[in-house]
Amino acid sequence: MSSTKKIASALISVFHKDGLAPIVKKLDDLGVTIYSTGGTQKFINDLGVNVIAVEDLTDYPSILGGRVKTLHPKVFGGILNRQDNEEDVREMAKFNIPQLDLVIVDLYPFEKTVASGANKEDIIEKIDIGGISLIRAAAKNFRDTLCVSSMEDYEELLQLLSQNNGEISLEDRKRFAAKSFNVSSHYDTAIFNYFNSDHAIPSLKFSEMKGQVLRYGENPHQKGYFFGDFDAMFDKLHGKELSYNNLLDVDAAVNLMAEFQGESPTFAILKHNNACGLAQRPSIKDAYDAALAGDPVSAFGGILISNSEIDRPTAEEIHKLFCEVVIAPSFSEEALETLKGKKNRILLKQKPVELPKTLTRTCLNGALVQDRDSVTDSAENLTYPTNNKPSDNELEDLLFASKICKHTKSNTIVLVKEKQLCASGTGQTSRVDALRQAIDKAQAFNFDLQGAVMASDAFFPFPDCVEIADNAGISAVIQPGGSIKDELSIDYCNQNNIAMVFTGTRHFKH
């Protein structure tokens, strides 16, 4: 069989018709016989192009409200026959089945229908049967049939038809088959995940149609890829391509700042997925200045994120710092002009996109899946086990610190004063070590911890942490509680006039 094949016949049946007209006209110019059905047939007729109705080919009408149109041996025989198989050729002639060289078909928009909040009946009706069957058949028989399964491939198809006078190479047919199986497998995954939303069937299926090759992975000797629709979350306004590590930091930054949406201007600086500076102030410039003061050393090469528009005064201060990425819901024109002064600095305008409700990570020879930690500690859920109760300002700082703590690697201790991150101990094997690290760091940057508050991601099994905090000047503590030895910490706090509140929720982050 010749590796190159000239298209002489085509079946076209699509839901989306954008970009289809030039292809239909090109096929007509090439003398290709076109078969179609339903709305696509009308579309082709309206272009003034001859088209044969599938119903005329099969001698069978579209039935069951359009549910059954192309599911017929004369259609699938035309797609699946092997032209180098003599028996197939004889049967084609016997049953008067036409060869179908090209199949252009797409699928009902199942995912969009689910996302729209449509009722169950509408969602079920958007499960494509004929389309998915045509795609699988045509892609399977790529040696004899070209399958085009997405409108995103129309431009390339038109180019191939025009350049080669309708002749398509085996290499191109196989490449389009791979694309088609990508479409069909993704579609089936979306349907399964809809029916298995409660994970009653212990099976993990993940599919993402958009992806990009990164310069490298976590280190230069590792390959790296990102799979996801980055453009749905951000408008990239300036700068170099994001790296694997940039993307991890951006993810950490977005998740952290989500805790402060709708609040007063808040600015955070992150390094290696942890906040090294974070503050809330009446203006975004003041918030940035206070965040930077938290750790001006670690801020070098960091990821910056704001919950408010970045204006020119803020941008002028940021411009003095070497940073990899700046993220904000918007930038003033003057701020953009300033920040674009560094050609590699990445500027991202964040869009209001809902984050996934589940988290997935590789583990051993499989994967771990869990619900997102969607609990944000609030005053309504606190209990007050100590005699001394936090003041209003202390309570605000405690909840502020708890939000940061939730997004810091465990074991962690976070120290806050006047809605400014003083320091944190991150990723320590001992909670005592995390606390000492935080205190040492805060003191190194000249923070006065008298009246500061402390947040812990998990309970204290012993009173050592509250004692160390007390000696450093900490006046209030927020922690989950729940240790069988809670009373030891409570007793120490009562004896030393420290206010402590329990959240009842642990926030480990590994």
Side-chain angles (χ1 to χ4, degrees), residues 285-304:
K285 178 184 178 300
D286 290 345
Y288 169 74
D289 290 340
L292 180 63
D295 187 347
V297 175
S298 296
F300 181 85
I303 306 294
L304 281 56

Side-chain angles (χ1 to χ4, degrees), residues 1-19:
M1 186 186 72
S2 173
S3 63
T4 299
K5 180 172 182 179
K6 187 174 180 64
I7 302 296
S9 59
L11 171 64
I12 308 176
S13 180
V14 296
F15 185 89
H16 303 97
K17 299 172 181 63
D18 295 343

Side-chain angles (χ1 to χ4, degrees), residues 252-253 256-257 260 265-271 274-280 284 287-288 291-292 302-307 325-327 404 421:
L256 171 60
M257 194 53 69
F260 301 96
T266 306
F267 207 104
I269 303 172
L270 289 90
K271 198 75 172 287
N274 294 302
C276 58
L278 195 152
Q280 191 171 90
I284 199 62
Y288 169 74
L292 180 63
I303 306 294
L304 281 56
I305 187 167
S306 167
N307 72 343
V325 184
V326 183
I327 309 165
I404 303 172
L421 173 62

